[in-house]
Amino acid sequence: MHDTAARGFAAAAEGYERTRPDYPAEALDRLIQELEVTPAATVLDLGAGTGKLARMLLPTHARVVALEPVEAMWRTFRQVLPEVEVVAGTAEALPFLDASFDAVVVAQAFHWFRGEDALEGIARVLKPMGRLGLLWNIRDESVPWVGRLGEIVGPYERKAPRGQTGAWREAFSRTDLFGSLHQRRFTHHQELDEEGLVTRVASTSFIASLEPREERERVLGEVRALARSVAEEQGSIVLPYLTDLYWCVRA
């Protein structure tokens, strides 16, 4: 695993569960449609975290199996979703039999993977014509105060893999295991109080793993001041996102 992800998510699992957003209903509906998630389907939630996406798939009555490499995250997952099987492991060494799944979903995680290795494993565990779906919530920095938030965390964020850079796409351009990658964008938002925004930022891997501790506290202090300013000016804190959905079919 990437060291930032391993250390950061291990330290921030509880805050991650409390303050990370879910996904917009329209995006979820499209994901279910394109991946053909039915009650008869078996779905792998890869890099499942604390189950933010897995819990939204339960109403489909599909069988959901989760895989998560960070112990603190999968332990939290088990507490939150005891009815869902969660397995410890990595995307590059999937501990499942060939053709085990009708669909694989990856939310907020594919940019952490060694892309080509992960795609080989995903193709192996998917049934013929199985579907792969990817989701990311990305802060909408066209909103001025969110742009300011980006300026505060940007120097640290840029040191870690990120979904919005698109670098993860290179693995898809170098494989013939999957067909064309389709994309749809949705809008989303999350309502937070002042401390909730601070915890939301603190739950990101590159801030949770930031050393020395004094530097981390300085950054979170700036976020707290920004949160207070936004709350005073607007009466509430609404963090806007652009939610990107991608999907493709196993060749």
Side-chain angles (χ1 to χ4, degrees):
M1 285 187 296
H2 193 286
D3 183 59
T4 299
R7 291 187 294 112
F9 291 133
E14 189 271 337
Y16 188 106
E17 169 57 25
R18 282 195 294 112
T19 63
R20 285 298 182 103
D22 59 5
Y23 298 93
E26 297 86 351
L28 189 70
D29 288 345
R30 188 63 180 265
L31 174 74
I32 290 168
Q33 174 189 336
E34 297 296 344
L35 271 59
E36 299 182 353
V37 179
T38 68
T42 301
V43 181
L44 172 61
D45 183 1
L46 186 53
T50 64
K52 291 291 182 176
L53 179 58
R55 73 196 71 183
M56 299 184 74
L57 294 173
L58 294 184
T60 67
H61 299 290
R63 180 188 174 216
V64 178
V65 178
L67 182 140
E68 168 57 41
V70 179
E71 181 177 357
M73 300 287 270
W74 59 252
R75 287 192 182 279
T76 302
F77 186 112
R78 285 179 176 172
Q79 293 171 3
V80 175
L81 293 171
E83 68 272 37
V84 177
E85 178 184 0
V86 59
V87 178
T90 67
E92 297 82 6
L94 296 176
F96 304 108
L97 297 176
D98 295 358
S100 298
F101 298 96
D102 299 284
V104 173
V105 295
V106 186
Q108 223 71 30
F110 193 88
H111 55 283
W112 290 112
F113 301 167
R114 294 197 309 271
E116 290 180 78
D117 292 340
L119 288 178
E120 287 184 13
I122 292 168
R124 179 183 64 78
V125 302
L126 276 173
K127 296 176 183 178
M129 300 303 292
R131 311 296 176 97
L132 169 62
L134 312 174
L135 268 173
W136 278 276
N137 282 324
I138 301 168
R139 295 187 311 271
D140 184 359
E141 294 189 356
S142 68
V143 176
W145 79 263
V146 185
R148 172 57 186 148
L149 179 61
E151 292 174 357
I152 294 171
V153 302
Y156 312 98
E157 188 174 37
R158 286 190 287 271
K159 297 177 182 179
R162 295 179 296 157
Q164 58 263 48
T165 68
W168 58 269
R169 287 175 176 266
E170 295 177 9
F172 285 86
S173 69
R174 293 194 291 263
T175 184
D176 58 2
L177 296 173
F178 290 88
S180 299
L181 194 63
H182 304 279
Q183 179 183 5
R184 181 78 184 273
R185 172 165 281 187
F186 304 84
T187 58
H188 195 33
H189 69 274
Q190 180 185 20
E191 296 183 12
L192 297 161
D193 59 18
E194 293 179 31
E195 200 56 38
L197 181 61
V198 175
T199 304
R200 166 70 182 85
V201 173
S203 76
T204 55
S205 59
F206 53 88
I207 298 298
S209 62
L210 184 59
E211 296 290 348
R213 181 181 179 84
E214 292 77 13
E215 179 73 358
R216 179 176 178 273
E217 293 306 316
R218 184 193 63 77
V219 172
L220 294 179
E222 290 189 42
V223 174
R224 184 172 286 105
L226 176 64
R228 185 176 302 114
S229 173
V230 173
E232 289 174 353
E233 291 178 9
Q234 303 182 10
S236 62
I237 300 174
V238 179
L239 180 56
Y241 295 95
L242 301 173
T243 301
D244 285 336
L245 168 65
Y246 301 84
W247 68 92
C248 57
V249 180
R250 182 186 184 278

